[in-house]
Amino acid sequence: ELETLQAHYMYMDDWERGIEAEDNAVLVSIPSVHDDTLAPAGQAVLHAYTPATEDYSRWEHLDRKSDEYKSLKEERSQYLWQVLEKIIPDIRSRSKFVQVGTPLTHQRFLRRHKGSYGPAIKAGEGSFPFPGTPVKGLLLTGDSCFPGIGVPAVAGSGLLTANSVSFDSIKPQLAVLEKLKQQVQS
């Protein structure tokens, strides 16, 4: 059954409301579709998120340890679950490990302003920066760099940055990746 899953899904409830409307869009990445070493046999890794449409004001004065926070976290996760059930109808009962992030989670662990999820760059008005900087020897990588937010894009950003060191670095990098792959398989 896992073989029938796609690596990426984008769900839009109502195209007229647009991607910036709250509870209207969900992006889903299942990286284990392409790399089965990311999850135990017969299982998958799944990351679902809304495109930075969660209203920060409902969270900003909450204590992360409070019952009110926990209740709101559960309530706000329901939209994600409902969308995921369109892809995998029995996902709730099959989930082995679940972590729900909130804007406060992003603010705390990712140091994001108001818990945002990557920069707000509008198509046609700007683009994500590439790895290079004016500081010699300093390169950037991550969800604020090209190609952008999300697990696959961040992995691509890391690859792009690593390859920006020099073209001579590609072969040694591939050798390290192969060594890591062999360690995981043994």
Side-chain angles (χ1 to χ4, degrees):
E1 178 184 43
L2 292 175
E3 299 81 34
T4 64
L5 293 174
Q6 300 296 312
H8 305 288
Y9 294 88
M10 179 178 176
Y11 173 81
M12 285 292 293
D13 196 38
D14 180 354
W15 284 100
E16 294 296 319
R17 291 179 55 213
I19 197 164
E20 295 177 353
E22 188 172 88
D23 292 347
N24 193 46
V26 173
L27 295 110
V28 178
S29 292
I30 311 175
S32 52
V33 164
H34 294 301
D35 183 352
D36 61 7
T37 66
L38 297 175
Q43 297 180 30
V45 173
L46 186 146
H47 176 217
Y49 57 98
T50 58
T53 55
E54 185 69 15
D55 183 5
Y56 181 74
S57 66
R58 70 166 51 107
W59 300 92
E60 68 183 323
H61 299 296
L62 295 178
D63 178 344
R64 293 185 330 271
K65 296 177 183 172
S66 72
D67 289 339
E68 183 181 5
Y69 173 78
K70 292 172 187 168
S71 176
L72 182 59
K73 187 174 174 177
E74 176 64 25
E75 174 191 321
R76 297 300 299 144
S77 72
Q78 294 312 299
Y79 178 66
L80 291 171
W81 283 113
Q82 290 163 8
V83 170
L84 289 173
E85 288 169 335
K86 294 175 187 298
I87 303 165
I88 307 168
D90 60 347
I91 189 163
R92 290 187 205 223
S93 64
R94 294 172 63 181
S95 295
K96 305 272 188 211
F97 180 76
V98 175
Q99 284 188 304
V100 176
T102 70
L104 296 183
T105 309
H106 287 184
Q107 185 175 41
R108 180 177 180 210
F109 292 105
L110 305 177
R111 309 286 292 163
R112 289 294 188 186
H113 175 69
K114 293 187 174 185
S116 69
Y117 198 89
I121 299 173
K122 294 186 183 234
E125 294 180 18
S127 64
F128 288 92
F130 283 85
T133 68
V135 179
K136 184 175 170 46
L138 177 64
L139 298 173
L140 303 175
T141 195
D143 69 348
S144 295
C145 299
F146 183 83
I149 64 173
V151 174
V154 170
S157 175
L159 185 64
L160 181 63
T161 301
N163 290 331
S164 296
V165 173
S166 78
F167 285 118
D168 295 335
S169 72
I170 295 172
K171 198 168 187 175
Q173 289 173 45
L174 290 173
V176 168
L177 289 173
E178 186 60 36
K179 184 178 179 180
L180 289 171
K181 184 177 175 182
Q182 290 172 2
Q183 288 176 351
V184 169
Q185 291 174 344
S186 59

